[in-house]
Amino acid sequence: MNTTNTMNACERIAFIGLGHMGGPMAANLVKNGFSVSAFDLSGAALSAARAAGVTIAPSAAAAVEGASVVVSMLPASRHVEALFLGEDGLLARMATGALVIDCSTIAPASAQRVAHAAQARGLAMLDAPVSGGTAGAAAGTLTFIVGGETTALERARPVLSAMGRNIFHMGASGAGQVAKLCNNMALGVIMAVTGEALALGVSHGLDPQALSDMMAVSTGRSWATEVCNPWPGVKPEAPASRGYSGGFGNDLMLKDLGLAVEAALQVGAAVPLGELARNLYALNSRAGRGGLDFSSVQELLLSPR
Ligand code: NAD
């Protein structure tokens, strides 16, 4: 955590997108002494951020006025491109030399499009998607997975450090998004196969708790067995133990797997398990669980309820 409040106050930050992740991230910037002007299209998101001490601007354009850093945390590629690009986009309104840090998970090609447009206007841009979920956003312990110029990252470091604990520089523009998609593709596959293993064991009469406890210290261990176990009651803090509410939405995982498959097509890579997992989360969404935590894919394999 960065606690040099007076120094931070010199950096004026615009924060666009105050949802599940962006709201607590903006609040952590304020807690760390940054001057933040924020905007979201949703009234509920604005109220929550205001209650957490974030100053709200009347529009995204007003938020970026006089800002030296603009942080965005939006749902998908189309939202990010619509916000920054074009004659009315934010890039056209930002002061020369300002820095864009986009923390949304979007297509690597989309991040590169915005970065090139930023560069053409004398602005710097980093793709900095995150890992750590809503709990990490609230606690200020996110991992930032960054693509872009080293000089831009050094400038962004105090801002990122106020919202997270780990920063990985993966390479040039778009590399942060590629790395994030690799991580989430592995996560999506591991969660699905963990649910499948638990379903198999329970079908044979095994106790899901005993099976999970064994797997958590054996070679089948993972974040899915140890922390976000998909079987209700095995881990009291996991979304599965509260009806799969909160956590990382099935449809966000579906989006990330779609981006991973798209990225694979671009370079002719084979991602057979990623494609299979994408289909499983699509079926889970069609079964009405799109808004639930992605571990609810367990119900597709064997309903524990
Ligand atoms: P969210 O839907 O809760 O928040 C997105 C916010 O963006 C919403 O409040 C929406 O109103 C706002 N918005 C959309 N278009 C806008 C615009 N033009 N101007 C201003 N505001 C606008 O989503 P989230 O869970 O906060 O996720 C944000 C991003 O972070 C996604 O790309 C997601 O994949 C990624 N992510 C999420 C998690 C998680 O656990 N939720 C974890 C890691 C990464």
Side-chain angles (χ1 to χ4, degrees):
M1 279 275 177
N2 192 318
T3 49
T4 50
N5 286 14
T6 29
M7 223 177 87
N8 290 344
C10 304
E11 196 86 270
R12 283 215 39 209
I13 300 184
F15 203 112
I16 315 295
L18 300 165
H20 292 107
M21 297 293 288
M25 288 165 72
N28 277 330
L29 287 175
V30 172
K31 274 185 213 150
N32 278 273
F34 286 100
S35 159
V36 180
S37 179
F39 181 71
D40 194 291
L41 294 175
S42 143
L46 291 178
S47 304
R50 197 181 281 115
V54 178
T55 303
I56 302 303
S59 65
V64 302
E65 236 167 73
S68 48
V69 177
V70 177
V71 182
S72 49
M73 192 50 162
L74 302 175
S77 303
R78 66 178 190 283
H79 305 94
V80 175
E81 293 202 34
L83 181 74
F84 286 107
L85 301 180
E87 281 182 15
D88 289 338
L90 292 188
L91 293 183
R93 297 171 184 272
M94 289 168 58
T96 310
L99 169 68
V100 175
I101 307 173
D102 179 45
C103 298
S104 329
T105 302
I106 63 171
S110 185
Q112 286 165 345
R113 260 195 298 283
V114 180
H116 291 151
Q119 203 176 19
R121 290 183 175 274
L123 306 164
M125 183 196 166
L126 294 171
D127 43 297
V130 304
S131 179
T134 48
T141 56
L142 291 171
T143 292
F144 287 93
I145 309 163
V146 181
E149 303 263 344
T150 305
T151 46
L153 173 55
E154 287 320 310
R155 198 169 147 208
R157 206 173 276 280
V159 178
L160 300 181
S161 301
M163 302 183 285
R165 187 183 282 160
N166 303 303
I167 301 172
F168 289 94
H169 190 194
M170 305 309 300
S173 176
Q177 296 293 352
V178 172
K180 164 74 182 171
L181 297 180
C182 292
N183 178 73
N184 277 24
M185 187 175 79
L187 172 64
V189 170
I190 291 166
M191 181 59 79
V193 80
T194 300
E196 193 171 293
L198 292 174
L200 175 64
V202 169
S203 299
H204 276 270
L206 298 188
D207 172 21
Q209 182 77 55
L211 179 55
S212 296
D213 289 349
M214 178 279 292
M215 285 176 68
V217 293
S218 302
T219 43
R221 70 189 288 202
S222 69
W223 184 77
T225 46
E226 287 174 74
V227 182
C228 190
N229 193 293
W231 200 276
V234 169
K235 293 285 171 192
E237 302 303 321
S241 300
R242 49 173 195 265
Y244 298 105
S245 65
F248 182 55
N250 181 88
D251 284 354
L252 284 179
M253 175 54 85
L254 178 58
K255 176 196 72 161
D256 291 357
L257 287 168
L259 290 174
V261 170
E262 199 180 290
L265 286 172
Q266 274 169 9
V267 292
V271 289
L273 296 179
E275 293 218 29
L276 185 58
R278 198 206 73 79
N279 279 309
L280 285 174
Y281 292 101
L283 287 171
N284 202 39
S285 185
R286 290 184 70 128
R289 293 185 285 272
L292 298 183
D293 183 70
F294 76 114
S295 64
S296 64
V297 72
Q298 178 70 70
E299 297 211 337
L300 203 64
L301 301 156
L302 176 65
S303 177
R305 294 196 273 190

